[in-house]
Each structure stands twice: as structure tokens, then as C-alpha cells.
Amino acid sequence: DVVIVARLSLGLLLTIIFHTSFASLLNKQKAALAKEAGEDYLTGILNRRSFTKWLDKEIPEAIQRKTNLALLYIDLDDFKRINDSYGHDIGDEILKKTSERMMQVVRTNDVLACLDESFNVARIAGDEFSLVLTNVNQVKNVETIVERLLNSLSESYKVDNLILNINASIGIAMAGTDGDTTEMLMKNADAAMYKAKKEGKKRYQFFNAEIALELSSDKNIERGLQQALANDQFYLVFMPIYCTDTLKMTGVEVLIRSASPDLEGVGPDKYIPIAERCGLIYDIDLLVIEKALQKILYMAQINIVQPLLFCINISAKELINPSIVDKLSFLLKKYNVDSSLIELEITETSLVGHGSKSITTLKKLKELGVRLSLDDFGTGYTAFNQLSNYPVDTLKIDRSFVNNIGRHDNVKRSMVDVISSLAKLYELNIVAEGVETEAQLNYLRNLHCQQVQGYYLSKPLQWEDFLKLVKSK
């Protein structure tokens, strides 16, 4: 009996030990998973989910206690250039070092002296970070900390054998004054950060009434865009493109305009960026493409046989839109339009910004038979030796360079010469935008620039006026 009891006791003990060990192991695994779920996989600081969850509790408490809580929204300036030029591995190292520098700054004694309680740092997305300072003694102390951050982040980064320089822009929103929820505070700090970028980057900006007014205006424009799409209130105008030597029309750039009363006085330069931010740009791009194809079909139906190239601007967003190729293919078949009559224009900065993804999309578009042009060339960061990697047919010289022809600005005028030489080297067509004088036209003729457009030759025309011009040639 004693032996049986001993064996039962030993069995019970082993069972207890097993379950205790298993429970302990399970708890450790849960803790590890919880930690992993709360941390950014790359930098080890908080991820967006855990950060917003923490902030949801901190904001109402700070407002109730009437203490200062500052949310900083931090974005690295031109970070895409790092990834495009050196690869994502180097970019990831920069992001790790950025988070380390942020932590070092807020942990220094003089910074901690500005805080009665705590701080938290998170990576929100990509190269965007957020830092929250709670119980800040005085609002002016926020400026001290932000200046320290900017100075630290602007110091050179050494990665492998590379020395890289990168800066940051910071937007700041205060709980209570600038928002009483996580969503509102993040949105307003983000808006302040974009204001800092527009003002020249490598700086900080507090959210203020002016930015609030801009946000309200942007929201009204967004609603106007939605109404204009729903009510078919967008239309096209047409900017003729001419052969430089003969002044014979060879093509036309299609430009969007709106007849919506809600967008009165608001041009594409203002509403297109807003459409890109709110996701309406995809519908707008397809609308422009479809309306252009309808015009080409109509010209064929009334027996206008003069072959004109229709140049259509598409957003940078389309370069990472997996459906753009299939949708364009569908529309070309729907209207029975020869794809060789279409040239899609993309800006140089949009191409560089999206790297290999955009090149893949462009190659697929080229397979449909459409032509591609690089718009505003010379204003972005394209390394000239990268041109061979881009499947484009045409370079469009930015109007700012053309405008300086004859104005004794040798540097900018020489850019026209350089771009012209590059186009010849890579066997690309050249179109000069913004030709406004005879002197500019003659200069471009001497450079053997193939095509030109601008107010000296024609302003953008309504459809009826454009048809008359085509018929008269």
C-alpha cells in the first residue's frame, strides 16, 4: 500500500510538474508572441497597432489631467532615393539607425528633464515614425526636443562602406488643442509634417489654424471631385503638338478640366494631388483615358485620317496599380483604337519614386503597344545613365528650362542642350514644353528637337476648336 501511495504521489507530482512546465512554456510563448505583435519587426520599437492602442488611453488621460501631450509625426526626406539607389537592405539599415537615434535623443538627461512622465516611439509605416511626449513641462520644451531630433537625424549615416546623408521633416500636434482622439491627432500631425516638407524640408511645423483651413479646403475639394465624377462633370481640352521644322501638327496632349460648380476656381494642379491622396485618381485616370479614346474613335468615324498621337497623363499611383494594364487593354478593345496612337505620360519624379515596380508596370504597358514619355524631364533625380533602364520613347523637356532660353541663364539653358544630347544618345524622341517665343522655337530647331508645344503655337483648345484646327490642316 505504501508503495502504491508513493507511486501515485510521484505520478501526481510529475503530472503537476509537467503541467506547470507546459503552462510556463505556453505563457512564455504567449508573451513572446504578444511582444512580437506589439513591436515593429525591423526596428524593435512599437508598431502602429500597439502604438495607437497605447495612445487611445493616453490622450483622454492627458486631457483630463490638463497636461501637455505632444505627438510628433516624423518622415525621412527623399528616402525613396536611398532604396532606389542602394537597395532595400541599405534602406532598412537606415531605418534601424533612425529609430536608434530617436531613442538616444529622448533618453538623454536634459531631454528627460523636460518630461515628468514618459515617451513612446513607433514606426508607423515605411520611413514614417511617431514620437509621443507625455507630461511635457512646457510647450517650448517640445521645440527643444524636436530641434535635437532634427540635428541627430541629419548627421551622416555610415552603412557598410557608404556614407549617406538624409534629413527629416516633423509635424507636431498637441492633445486637446489640436485633437482629442488618436485619429484626429495623427491626421493633424501628419498635415503639419507635409507643411514642413512644402516649406523646404529638414524642419518642423506645429499644427495651426492655417493648416486646419487647408485641411478643410482639401476636404471640400475631395467632395467636389466625388460629385464631379458622379455627375460626369469632367471634360478634356487639347494642347496641339507640332513638328519643330514644319510646324505640322503631329499629336496632342490631353488635359483634364472640370465643369463642376463645386470645383470652380480649382485647377488640376490643386485637385489632382488631393485625388491621389484620397484614392479617386484611379477613376479620374480611367475617365480621361476613356474620353480620349472616344474622341479618337469619333475622328475615325468622320473620316479624319490624319494620324495624331494622343498623349495622356497618368498618375504616379498607376505605376503600382496592378489593374491598370488590364483596364487599358479592355478600353482599347472596346473602342477599337490602335494602341500606337496612344502615348502615356508619366512624370520623372513618379518613375524614380517607385523604382522597380514602376518599371515592371511600364514594360507591361509597352507590351500593349502604347508609347511612353517621361514628362518634366530634368526636374527630378533620374541619374542620366539610368535612362536605358526605363522603357520610354520620349523625353519632354520641362517648361522651366525652355522658359530660360534667351534669358542669359546659361545653366538652365544648358540643361536643354544636355537633355537634347541625351535623347539622341538613347535614340529617344524629344518634345519641348512651354514654347512661348519665336526665339525659343528657333533655338530648339537648331538643337534638332523634334517636337514642340506651347502658347506661341497654340493654347489648349476645346474639342470643337481642336476639330476645326485638325480639319484645316
Side-chain angles (χ1 to χ4, degrees):
D1 291 342
V2 174
V3 172
I4 293 172
V5 170
R7 285 178 177 173
L8 287 173
S9 300
L10 180 61
L12 180 62
L13 179 62
L14 289 172
T15 301
I16 293 171
I17 292 172
F18 171 77
H19 283 291
T20 303
S21 299
F22 180 76
S24 176
L25 179 62
L26 190 61
N27 287 334
K28 287 180 180 179
Q29 288 178 335
K30 286 181 178 179
L33 288 172
K35 182 180 179 182
E36 184 178 344
E39 288 183 357
D40 174 56
Y41 74 95
L42 180 66
T43 62
I45 59 179
L46 292 182
N47 60 25
R48 186 185 188 111
R49 183 165 174 252
S50 58
F51 179 70
T52 53
K53 187 176 179 181
W54 172 81
L55 200 52
D56 285 340
K57 296 179 181 178
E58 287 294 322
I59 291 174
E61 289 180 8
I63 294 173
Q64 186 177 12
R65 294 194 307 260
K66 296 182 180 180
T67 57
N68 293 315
L69 182 149
L71 187 146
L72 281 56
Y73 205 105
I74 303 158
D75 184 85
L76 301 183
D77 296 332
D78 303 319
F79 179 74
K80 286 185 175 67
R81 279 196 291 163
I82 299 293
N83 280 335
D84 292 339
S85 300
Y86 304 103
H88 287 274
D89 288 343
I90 298 296
D92 286 349
E93 288 302 313
I94 294 291
L95 295 176
K96 291 178 187 177
K97 290 179 181 294
T98 295
S99 65
E100 290 168 5
R101 290 186 184 187
M102 290 172 62
M103 294 298 291
Q104 287 171 0
V105 167
V106 291
R107 280 173 173 165
T108 54
N109 291 333
D110 56 334
V111 168
L112 289 174
C114 298
L115 307 173
D116 279 343
E117 200 165 310
S118 64
F119 63 87
N120 235 329
V121 182
R123 182 177 173 223
I124 302 301
D127 62 328
E128 298 175 2
F129 297 82
S130 190
L131 167 62
V132 167
L133 308 172
T134 64
N135 279 39
V136 186
N137 294 336
Q138 300 179 58
V139 175
K140 69 177 183 180
N141 288 337
V142 176
E143 293 184 330
T144 302
I145 296 169
V146 170
E147 287 168 359
R148 289 281 300 275
L149 273 172
L150 285 176
N151 290 334
S152 176
L153 297 179
S154 66
E155 293 176 3
S156 296
Y157 290 80
K158 185 175 181 181
V159 182
D160 294 340
N161 295 321
L162 297 170
I163 302 295
L164 302 172
N165 294 303
I166 194 163
N167 299 308
S169 298
I170 302 177
I172 309 156
M174 304 297 296
T177 306
D178 302 325
D180 55 8
T181 66
T182 298
E183 182 182 3
M184 187 178 296
L185 210 61
M186 291 281 281
K187 183 182 76 172
N188 291 343
D190 185 36
M193 181 272 292
Y194 273 105
K195 182 72 171 179
K197 280 190 179 293
K198 284 195 286 187
E199 295 294 326
K201 303 179 182 179
K202 195 186 174 182
R203 62 186 63 204
Y204 65 90
Q205 172 69 56
F206 279 88
F207 185 78
N208 56 32
E210 180 186 349
I211 299 173
L213 188 62
E214 288 181 8
L215 284 178
S216 176
S217 173
D218 288 355
K219 197 65 181 176
N220 289 335
I221 292 172
E222 181 182 337
R223 285 193 289 267
L225 290 171
Q226 291 169 338
Q227 290 298 315
L229 282 167
N231 299 326
D232 193 22
Q233 292 174 318
F234 286 108
Y235 65 94
L236 305 181
V237 295
F238 304 86
M239 171 68 89
I241 299 172
Y242 295 91
C243 172
T244 309
D245 291 330
T246 65
L247 294 188
K248 178 182 177 181
M249 193 192 309
T250 57
V252 59
E253 182 176 2
V254 176
L255 304 170
I256 188 172
R257 298 291 184 266
S258 174
S260 169
D262 294 325
L263 296 175
E264 186 176 358
V266 182
D269 58 331
K270 177 66 176 177
Y271 62 67
I272 291 299
I274 294 172
E276 289 179 332
R277 289 200 294 271
C278 69
L280 293 174
I281 193 62
Y282 305 109
D283 293 330
I284 292 175
D285 277 351
L286 286 177
L287 179 145
V288 172
I289 291 171
E290 184 160 16
K291 284 183 179 292
L293 296 180
Q294 289 170 350
K295 299 303 186 187
I296 296 173
L297 178 61
Y298 178 77
M299 290 174 68
Q301 290 171 341
I302 62 173
N303 296 318
I304 295 178
V305 295
Q306 180 180 350
L308 292 176
L309 188 67
F310 274 63
C311 305
I312 305 169
N313 294 280
I314 61 171
S315 165
K317 297 284 187 181
E318 301 294 2
L319 300 180
I320 51 174
N321 176 12
S323 67
I324 181 62
V325 178
D326 290 339
K327 288 181 177 179
L328 177 58
S329 177
F330 170 79
L331 290 174
L332 287 168
K333 292 174 183 175
K334 178 181 177 180
Y335 293 101
N336 194 28
V337 170
D338 185 345
S339 59
S340 66
L341 296 177
I342 302 298
E343 182 168 89
L344 299 179
E345 295 188 5
I346 51 165
T347 61
E348 178 194 4
T349 49
S350 70
L351 179 58
V352 175
H354 291 102
S356 60
K357 286 185 180 179
S358 48
I359 293 175
T360 299
T361 302
L362 292 175
K363 287 179 178 178
K364 290 180 179 179
L365 289 170
K366 282 282 289 180
E367 290 172 2
L368 295 179
V370 301
R371 292 173 59 84
L372 300 170
S373 69
L374 201 52
D375 199 10
D376 301 335
F377 190 74
T379 61
Y381 304 106
T382 302
F384 291 149
N385 61 4
Q386 290 179 322
L387 273 178
S388 60
N389 299 325
Y390 301 148
V392 296
D393 305 282
T394 300
L395 297 183
K396 297 195 77 171
I397 302 176
D398 184 65
R399 67 184 66 249
S400 65
F401 301 125
V402 174
N403 191 46
N404 279 282
I405 293 174
R407 295 194 176 186
H408 309 291
D409 189 331
N410 293 326
V411 174
K412 290 202 172 184
R413 188 176 69 179
S414 67
M415 276 298 294
V416 176
D417 299 358
V418 169
I419 294 170
S420 177
S421 298
L422 282 168
K424 291 172 186 173
L425 178 64
Y426 290 102
E427 299 180 342
L428 300 173
N429 184 47
I430 319 169
V431 179
E433 299 179 296
V435 177
E436 297 181 355
T437 68
E438 184 178 4
Q440 292 169 352
L441 177 61
N442 290 333
Y443 188 89
L444 293 163
R445 274 178 174 155
N446 292 331
L447 277 181
H448 302 292
C449 171
Q450 291 99 328
Q451 294 167 302
V452 289
Q453 65 183 84
Y455 275 46
Y456 178 71
L457 301 161
S458 175
K459 64 180 181 180
L461 301 172
Q462 299 286 342
W463 173 241
E464 294 77 13
D465 294 328
F466 174 69
L467 271 184
K468 289 178 184 177
L469 181 63
V470 173
K471 291 176 181 178
S472 69
K473 298 299 182 180

